[in-house]
Amino acid sequence: MQNVKTTMAGNVWKILVSVGDTVIEGQEIAILESMKMEIPIESTVCGTVSKVVREEGDFVDEGDVLVELDD
């Protein structure tokens, strides 16, 4: 299992994947809002979404897990 983590603190503005989706390295999986800017979060690995850990509207810190992926 691999985790996709946030790169900065902010609010989860939009989740772009669902459980069962296949993602590739570099694919945007979520968009954070921080300081009135939209920051895309990209997957660093390929896999299938097994769990969406955070929901839209949640506040996250740098390094928090957004999505869990199975190989």
Side-chain angles (χ1 to χ4, degrees), residues 2-3 5-6 12 18 24 29 34 36 42 56 58 67:
Q2 301 283 342
N3 293 324
K5 298 179 181 182
T6 59
V12 179
S18 301
I24 59 172
I29 57 125
S34 181
K36 299 186 182 181
E42 298 177 349
E56 292 177 4
D58 286 355
V67 173

Side-chain angles (χ1 to χ4, degrees), residues 22-62:
T22 300
V23 299
I24 59 172
E25 185 177 346
Q27 179 178 338
E28 290 183 8
I29 57 125
I31 300 173
L32 297 185
E33 186 276 326
S34 181
M35 299 185 302
K36 299 186 182 181
M37 294 175 44
E38 295 176 8
I39 295 93
I41 303 298
E42 298 177 349
S43 179
T44 55
V45 295
C46 298
T48 302
V49 178
S50 60
K51 183 177 181 181
V52 177
V53 178
R54 298 297 188 143
E55 297 180 10
E56 292 177 4
D58 286 355
F59 180 82
V60 293
D61 287 314
E62 182 178 351

